Amino acid sequence: MEVEKMDENEWKYHGEGNQSLVVSHCQRCVVLRFLKSPPNQNKTPEEILHHLQNIVDFGKHVMKQFFGENYVHHGEIIQLPLDFVRQLCLKIQPERPECRCDKDMDTLSGYAMCLPNLTRLQPFRLAEHRPILCIEIKPKCGFIPFSSHVSQEIKHKVCRYCMHQHLKVANGKWKRPSKYCPLDLFSGNKQRMHFALKSLLQEAQNNLKIFKNGELIYGCKDDQDCVSDWNELARHLKPFFFPSNGLVSGPHCTRTIVKELIHVITMALLSSTDTCRAGDMKTVPISQGRSYCEASAFNKELVRNGKHKLESSGLPRGCLLYKTLQAQMLDMLDIEGLYPLYSRVEQYLEEFPEERSTLQIDGPYNEAFYEKLLDLSLEDDGTVAFALTKVQQYRIAMTAKDCSIMIALSPCLQDECSEQRPVVLTSKSRFIFSVSVLDLDLKPYESIPHQYKLDGEIVNYYLKNVQAKEDPVMSNLFKENEDCTLVLHKV
């Protein structure tokens, strides 16, 4: 791709995270990712190149082993003319959210990552001038901790996401807690998955976005309060799901279209679009721990209706949700069991700082790094090697807990679906689709103390301000349901 021959006006602001900023091309299915840094803390071009190379290598040699060839797009590093980069920076600066402007886009090195635009079908063909719908979901952690190192029993009952929601609302990040629970989405049970997706659509926060032809049409642009306008969303989606325009307008139309959308997302998430075997990783038994969260709104509704059992159908082994959950469950010790091992590594590095590169804490993320992750033993022999393996597995798990799944959909006629692409059907339409995974940068080694502190804050806030109020209510519900059951029995 000859980026230097493209005018900077052909690129637009696409979004950004804590460490990088992304722009996409208006016509081509590519994005450029630039690193960011605080003002006056610019890294050297060599440091930028090394950082980007680590990201590419980690995706190529590690995460592809977990997720499979078709799901991971690691990209490549390119070098751009500095004048082009500076002009591009000036163009997109007014579009950046104010809360993101505390860091500057790298305009000094000229290095960037070139990646496919995952809001489009993958693999993309220039001849495909079709309307494209893309749903981005950040599913978060899909299991309850099963580690014996957990000190608070509530962590064996309520998932991290549901507890964290209350702390985020208290801190003013969101105005309302979401009804979404990751365990419902990861259950494989279609009823629970539909409820989870509907909850995401009601309170998208930063866990769901919808794009049409690459443009964001639904969801938060940044950390802010989202207004869920289903009628406006239905207006965008109607041509995709009801192309003949034969459906009446009004609330019924909106509900029907949203229901069709949820069905399509569910079927795409349960599909397997990668026939490759995902590496040699021995799987962590998903049966470990509880398969539902007591704080789930779906679970609470069952209790109110006198039912006490959540069905978990299980995920197909080839689907991306299953592979994501497997990677997440490399967090076998929980942060409470992991933190002492992190401290062991830290103590060793204080005595032998020159060993940091030998331990591959900062890379290189190659085949040798991946091989060390294959040991799932939990028998601590007191060595630094054991501690480091668990630390690196935890970093992989944290990466998988924070990744995004991209589902790109394009309507097709029956005679157009002969090309070897997966297809999902609705009542009036059929879609070819692709599923990809995004945001796979390895979580920093230095973030572990923060995670340990945050875990304590989340649990303590929930115990003090939420569970104490909810326990009497749920206890009464159980008692009422038991009374109802007794009345119905013959004496």
Side-chain angles (χ1 to χ4, degrees):
M1 183 184 66
E2 296 180 350
V3 177
E4 64 272 14
K5 294 185 179 180
M6 297 183 190
D7 189 278
E8 61 272 1
N9 291 321
E10 295 176 308
W11 298 83
K12 62 183 180 182
Y13 177 80
H14 192 82
E16 58 188 286
N18 291 331
Q19 302 297 325
S20 61
L21 181 149
V22 177
V23 296
S24 60
H25 194 266
C26 298
Q27 302 298 326
R28 304 194 186 189
C29 185
V30 293
V31 300
L32 295 179
R33 178 181 175 187
F34 297 89
L35 291 186
K36 300 189 305 181
S37 60
N40 304 318
Q41 292 186 24
N42 292 317
K43 297 181 179 179
T44 66
E46 292 75 19
E47 289 173 328
I48 294 287
L49 177 60
H50 178 71
H51 190 145
L52 290 174
Q53 190 62 57
N54 267 348
I55 294 173
V56 171
D57 289 344
F58 180 69
K60 183 178 181 179
H61 299 301
V62 181
M63 297 317 286
K64 268 196 176 184
Q65 301 298 321
F66 287 101
F67 291 100
E69 186 78 20
N70 290 349
Y71 293 126
V72 177
H73 308 274
H74 53 76
E76 61 180 338
I77 300 170
I78 59 174
Q79 190 167 18
L80 307 164
L82 293 180
D83 185 59
F84 168 82
V85 177
R86 294 187 188 106
Q87 291 298 321
L88 184 61
C89 180
L90 290 173
K91 177 182 181 295
I92 66 173
Q93 189 62 28
E95 302 177 48
R96 298 178 64 194
E98 186 177 344
C99 63
R100 293 290 190 182
C101 292
D102 59 329
K103 293 184 180 180
D104 296 332
M105 171 178 152
D106 166 41
T107 58
L108 299 178
S109 74
Y111 291 110
M113 283 177 63
C114 183
L115 299 144
N117 187 340
L118 297 181
T119 65
R120 306 285 181 161
L121 281 172
Q122 302 301 320
F124 177 79
R125 296 176 184 173
L126 291 175
E128 290 183 0
H129 296 296
R130 295 174 167 148
I132 303 287
L133 190 66
C134 178
I135 301 93
E136 176 183 352
I137 297 173
K138 192 177 282 289
K140 307 303 284 186
C141 181
F143 71 97
I144 295 277
F146 49 85
S147 169
S148 60
H149 296 279
V150 168
S151 62
Q152 298 283 4
E153 184 61 24
I154 191 64
K155 289 173 66 174
H156 288 310
K157 298 178 179 179
V158 178
C159 78
R160 161 79 169 246
Y161 180 88
C162 287
M163 283 195 280
H164 201 180
Q165 279 287 300
H166 295 278
L167 182 60
K168 286 182 176 180
V169 172
N171 291 338
K173 184 169 185 178
W174 306 114
K175 290 191 175 180
R176 295 168 297 277
S178 170
K179 291 183 179 180
Y180 169 69
C181 175
L183 269 74
D184 291 330
L185 186 67
F186 281 96
S187 69
N189 178 289
K190 290 182 181 178
Q191 188 180 3
R192 290 176 67 183
M193 293 180 73
H194 286 189
F195 184 89
L197 291 167
K198 184 179 178 181
S199 300
L200 278 178
L201 284 164
Q202 289 172 332
E203 284 292 334
Q205 297 186 359
N206 61 353
N207 296 107
L208 180 136
K209 294 178 182 178
I210 300 177
F211 302 85
K212 185 171 78 172
N213 298 327
E215 298 288 341
L216 181 68
I217 62 169
Y218 194 80
C220 297
K221 291 184 177 179
D222 218 291
D223 293 352
Q224 58 184 346
D225 182 43
C226 296
V227 178
S228 298
D229 188 346
W230 280 17
N231 292 326
E232 178 66 13
L233 176 62
R235 185 182 66 80
H236 282 289
L237 298 183
K238 191 173 182 180
F240 286 89
F241 293 98
F242 296 94
S244 61
N245 204 32
L247 197 66
V248 295
S249 59
H252 176 71
C253 170
T254 296
R255 286 195 298 268
T256 302
I257 291 174
V258 170
K259 187 176 179 180
E260 294 279 82
L261 174 66
I262 289 173
H263 166 73
V264 168
I265 296 173
T266 302
M267 298 311 293
L269 287 174
L270 293 176
S271 71
S272 175
T273 59
D274 194 327
T275 56
C276 299
R277 186 167 58 95
D280 301 314
M281 172 59 70
K282 295 178 182 178
T283 57
V284 180
I286 286 181
S287 59
Q288 292 195 50
R290 169 189 304 250
S291 64
Y292 65 93
C293 166
E294 287 190 0
S296 161
F298 188 92
N299 177 50
K300 290 181 178 179
E301 194 62 33
L302 282 184
V303 173
R304 289 189 183 94
N305 293 331
K307 302 176 182 178
H308 308 302
K309 185 179 180 182
L310 278 177
E311 297 296 330
S312 181
S313 304
L315 293 166
R317 292 180 67 90
C319 76
L320 185 54
L321 279 182
Y322 179 89
K323 295 179 180 182
T324 303
L325 186 57
Q326 283 292 315
Q328 291 180 356
M329 293 182 77
L330 284 176
D331 176 13
M332 295 174 282
L333 298 173
D334 188 71
I335 186 63
E336 292 188 67
L338 189 280
Y339 190 72
L341 299 181
Y342 165 81
S343 300
R344 184 188 301 173
V345 177
E346 276 292 275
Q347 184 177 352
Y348 179 79
L349 290 175
E350 285 180 13
E351 296 180 34
F352 308 101
E354 70 281 359
E355 289 291 299
R356 188 178 178 101
S357 60
T358 306
L359 298 179
Q360 289 186 274
I361 289 175
D362 308 306
Y365 302 121
N366 50 23
E367 292 89 345
F369 179 89
Y370 172 73
E371 290 294 326
K372 294 174 183 176
L373 299 171
L374 301 180
D375 181 7
L376 300 182
S377 170
L378 293 177
E379 295 181 15
D380 187 356
D381 58 5
T383 64
V384 173
F386 172 85
L388 182 64
T389 298
K390 299 304 130 186
V391 166
Q392 303 293 45
Q393 288 172 343
Y394 175 81
R395 294 172 69 192
I396 301 291
M398 292 302 294
T399 301
K401 291 177 186 181
D402 206 36
C403 71
S404 291
I405 294 175
M406 309 290 283
I407 304 167
L409 305 152
S410 184
C412 68
L413 300 176
Q414 187 166 0
D415 57 358
E416 291 180 318
C417 297
S418 57
E419 51 185 320
Q420 298 300 312
R421 280 187 177 278
V423 176
V424 62
L425 305 177
T426 67
S427 59
K428 301 291 184 182
S429 301
R430 62 175 55 225
F431 296 89
I432 54 175
F433 69 96
S434 63
V435 184
S436 306
V437 62
L438 188 65
D439 297 334
L440 290 177
D441 294 7
L442 180 60
K443 293 301 178 184
Y445 169 81
E446 288 76 16
S447 69
I448 291 175
H450 168 73
Q451 291 296 331
Y452 180 69
K453 180 182 178 184
L454 179 61
D455 183 77
E457 292 174 356
I458 291 170
V459 173
N460 290 335
Y461 183 87
Y462 189 84
L463 287 172
K464 182 178 179 181
N465 298 282
V466 181
Q467 191 194 33
K469 299 174 184 176
E470 288 190 345
D471 273 357
V473 176
M474 296 305 292
S475 177
N476 287 335
L477 281 171
F478 276 112
K479 182 179 287 188
E480 290 170 10
N481 289 327
E482 288 171 2
D483 291 343
C484 290
T485 303
L486 288 173
V487 171
L488 291 173
H489 279 290
K490 292 183 179 180
V491 179

